[in-house]
Amino acid sequence: MQHGKYRFILGFLAIPLALYAVFVIWPFVQSIYYSFTDWTGLSPDFQMVGFDNYTKMFEDDIFWKSLWHSVLLALLLPLVTLGLALFFAFMINVGGRRRRGAAIQGVRGSGFYKIAYFVPQVLSIAIVAILFQFAFDPAQGMINGLLRSAGVEGDSLPNWLGDPQLALWCIVAVLVWCTVGFFVVLFSAGMASIPRDFYEAALLDGASRITTFFRITLPLLWDTVQSGWVYMGILALGAEAFAVVHIMSVGPGGPDYATTVLPLYVYQAAFRDGQAAYATTIGVALLVVTLAFAAVVMRVGRRERLEF
């Protein structure tokens, strides 16, 4: 009977596992294999070169700049995005004034706020990047236009995407703006499922709203927050950051490689420089960084599961 059960389960899993192996696992294996070759991506001919590509990568200053920018995004972006999303979601669901005899209420118009926060998530990331590229334009952009109306003129106006000290922070601001709404809605759904009796009992005991957030809301939402942290880290290390940097930044990746991230450097090495093998080597490094980030977050964020 048990043997038949396992054969039945295996019958359902065989095709999905085969597809996963072909379309997910096999490309990883190929990338690792090509990283030990001199393949240009333009010719089927290549030779094995051992660890030459890895030696080149460790001696490449641009790689280290790209790695630092990607790690910075992976650390900073989840912190800012999830922090803002938790604050907005808490205010929407719990932060309103007491009315009609109810101790716990969301702010007025909370339904509208959820829609307003979620609208950027509906837009294509390419459209968002193009819009902000125009907004950050030093001559005709909206942001410098507002600064001019406030009395800032001439050399005091920032060249947002042309300044190495400001360009990466502009990228971070755009990524936060276009992703925070998703987590506001996600955390709002989680907070709506928390019994209001918990909050009312805490308020009767004299707890403030800040105390209820850290003692009730955050512990009960921790699994969702942890998953969101991993998701945001992968987003910062992956396609979302690549799209914004590639469209918005000077070069792209500039000025002076100030906004180059690992996914963009992989793209440039493969399609601009014709060094496909070196690009796969950087891709392997990106894979290791992503797996390490996810493992650290899951390890550090591990705590006893709370149920209600």
Side-chain angles (χ1 to χ4, degrees):
M1 185 68 180
Q2 292 293 327
H3 179 71
K5 181 183 71 172
Y6 291 130
R7 187 167 55 185
F8 178 76
I9 295 173
L10 183 61
F12 274 98
L13 292 179
I15 294 178
L17 288 176
L19 292 175
Y20 184 82
V22 170
F23 293 105
V24 178
I25 302 298
W26 181 241
F28 284 129
V29 174
Q30 284 183 309
S31 297
I32 296 172
Y33 171 75
Y34 284 124
S35 69
F36 293 100
T37 69
D38 61 355
W39 184 45
T40 64
L42 304 175
S43 170
D45 299 325
F46 58 85
Q47 295 179 348
M48 301 298 294
V49 295
F51 289 93
D52 289 357
N53 287 321
Y54 290 92
T55 302
K56 177 182 177 180
M57 182 180 69
F58 287 126
E59 296 175 351
D60 188 352
D61 292 337
I62 301 175
F63 165 76
W64 290 110
K65 278 188 177 182
S66 304
L67 176 62
W68 165 242
H69 296 155
S70 292
V71 171
L72 182 64
L73 287 179
L75 296 176
L76 185 62
L77 193 60
L79 180 64
V80 176
T81 302
L82 299 183
L84 288 174
L86 283 169
F87 172 75
F88 291 142
F90 187 75
M91 294 302 296
I92 287 173
N93 290 274
V94 185
R97 294 182 178 180
R98 183 180 305 182
R99 57 183 184 271
R100 296 180 185 177
I104 298 297
Q105 290 286 339
V107 296
R108 294 185 183 275
S110 58
F112 168 77
Y113 290 133
K114 290 179 184 178
I115 296 173
Y117 288 135
F118 194 76
V119 164
Q121 190 69 30
V122 178
L123 299 175
S124 167
I125 188 63
I127 294 175
V128 171
I130 292 172
L131 291 175
F132 273 95
Q133 186 181 39
F134 286 120
F136 283 122
D137 185 271
Q140 301 177 347
M142 179 188 68
I143 298 176
N144 277 3
L146 293 175
L147 292 177
R148 289 191 190 93
S149 65
V152 181
E153 293 291 344
D155 295 336
S156 299
L157 290 171
N159 184 5
W160 297 100
L161 298 176
D163 188 341
Q165 303 298 323
L166 297 176
L168 187 63
W169 299 110
C170 295
I171 300 296
V172 172
V174 174
L175 288 170
V176 170
W177 183 85
C178 67
T179 55
V180 70
F182 171 79
F183 290 100
V184 170
V185 176
L186 180 65
F187 293 151
S188 294
M191 291 180 190
S193 66
I194 299 175
R196 288 292 186 264
D197 296 344
F198 291 3
Y199 293 108
E200 293 174 0
L203 293 177
L204 289 175
D205 289 338
S208 66
R209 293 297 174 92
I210 296 177
T211 302
T212 58
F213 173 78
F214 285 103
R215 297 285 183 165
I216 298 176
T217 305
L218 188 58
L220 293 177
L221 284 180
W222 186 252
D223 288 344
T224 305
V225 173
Q226 186 183 39
S227 300
W229 199 286
V230 174
Y231 173 79
M232 282 301 302
I234 294 174
L235 180 149
L237 292 168
E240 201 91 356
F242 164 78
V244 175
V245 171
H246 188 264
I247 294 172
M248 286 184 58
S249 64
V250 178
D256 192 25
Y257 300 102
T259 57
T260 303
V261 291
L262 283 179
L264 178 64
Y265 197 33
V266 171
Y267 173 83
Q268 291 176 336
F271 298 103
R272 184 193 65 185
D273 303 333
Q275 300 177 3
Y278 186 53
T280 60
T281 306
I282 303 171
V284 172
L286 178 59
L287 172 64
V288 172
V289 171
T290 304
L291 293 177
F293 173 83
V296 169
V297 171
M298 297 301 292
R299 176 64 179 175
V300 173
R302 183 184 301 172
R303 62 171 59 188
E304 184 179 355
R305 184 180 181 87
L306 300 178
E307 297 182 357
F308 55 91

